[in-house]
Amino acid sequence: MNYQTGLADITCENIIIADADFVDKVAFDLIVNFERMLNRKIPNADMARWIDCVALDGGVREGTGQTQVALIHDRGNLQMDNFTPGLLSELNGKAFKDHLGEFAINTYTDEDIVSKEDLIAETLKLCCAARDVKRVMVIPDERYFETIRHIMSRVDDDSKRVTVFAMQPMPGGNFRQEILGYSLMSALGIKADELSTAHSR
């Protein structure tokens, strides 16, 4: 991804910006914890299902709209080990359609001149400034959540719905918040009744 242009040509109403390495790490942690809790093997997360859940949490509803998905990762990480499909080179340029519309996936990596944190921050700025974008869903590593919050404090556009995903509630700001774990649990096939049964043992 070019640092200067990146997603500058943004025409989709909906944009998902995800730190792929962070999301994969969280999925791994959930798999380990829930295999122990539920006493069964947890399969890899279904990529399309996870994207759908993030879109729903971000306000996307049934229709024929378009969503652009930007998976941003470290150069050395070639795969999301806990997702199917998870090979980033194969995901790049792929698209799928379902009841929420069309999703176009692209993968981007940090470069020598810019860190992944800055890359995600600049992408978020571009999306918030783009006229056609209505909904932005961003999943940052929680280590740089404050950077995201600072960016959003300078966005003065009530027409944009920005949702930030984290594993726990974070200090508030000019955006909505959702718990990342819920979308991942759904993509991992973990059902609420299983959790109820496990807690009642």
Side-chain angles (χ1 to χ4, degrees):
M1 181 176 185
N2 183 287
Y3 180 64
Q4 295 299 326
T5 58
L7 297 177
D9 183 21
I10 299 171
T11 57
C12 288
E13 289 187 354
N14 312 306
I15 309 285
I16 296 173
I17 309 163
D19 183 325
D21 307 309
F22 174 70
V23 173
D24 195 41
K25 177 184 177 297
V26 174
F28 172 78
D29 291 341
L30 290 175
I31 288 171
V32 171
N33 290 333
F34 281 110
E35 283 188 342
R36 186 182 303 117
M37 181 188 300
L38 302 177
N39 195 30
R40 72 169 176 86
K41 181 172 177 56
I42 304 294
N44 278 3
D46 182 302
M47 178 64 76
R49 174 65 180 163
W50 176 68
I51 290 172
D52 269 354
C53 290
V54 169
L56 285 167
D57 285 344
V60 178
R61 295 296 178 258
E62 290 194 14
T64 58
Q66 293 187 322
T67 301
Q68 188 171 354
V69 182
L71 299 176
I72 301 174
H73 62 98
D74 291 330
R75 280 170 293 168
N77 292 341
L78 304 179
Q79 180 162 326
M80 296 176 74
D81 292 327
N82 302 286
F83 279 79
T84 300
L87 190 61
L88 290 161
S89 61
E90 291 186 357
L91 285 166
N92 189 41
K94 294 295 191 293
F96 68 91
K97 288 184 179 180
D98 60 20
H99 63 292
L100 298 179
E102 182 174 7
F103 294 83
I105 304 171
N106 289 285
T107 63
Y108 306 97
T109 184
D110 57 346
E111 302 291 346
D112 293 334
I113 60 171
V114 61
S115 68
K116 185 170 58 174
E117 175 181 347
D118 288 339
L119 189 53
I120 289 175
E122 289 301 314
T123 303
L124 176 60
K125 289 178 186 177
L126 287 170
C127 292
C128 289
R131 180 182 61 187
D132 294 328
V133 174
K134 294 182 179 179
R135 301 171 195 85
V136 181
M137 293 133 275
V138 57
I139 305 103
D141 189 312
E142 292 172 353
R143 291 177 298 178
Y144 50 83
F145 186 91
E146 185 59 32
T147 299
I148 302 301
R149 195 169 75 86
H150 179 69
I151 290 169
M152 292 308 304
S153 71
R154 300 187 171 198
V155 174
D156 185 21
D157 186 349
D158 292 338
S159 69
K160 297 283 191 293
R161 172 173 171 154
V162 178
T163 307
V164 180
F165 292 74
M167 283 303 289
Q168 58 188 359
M170 304 295 276
N174 188 26
F175 50 83
R176 300 167 184 259
Q177 289 193 51
E178 291 289 345
I179 300 299
L180 173 61
Y182 296 153
S183 58
L184 285 172
M185 286 168 60
S186 177
L188 290 165
I190 299 167
K191 297 180 171 56
D193 57 348
E194 285 188 288
L195 300 180
S196 300
T197 301
H199 285 306
S200 65
R201 288 172 185 164

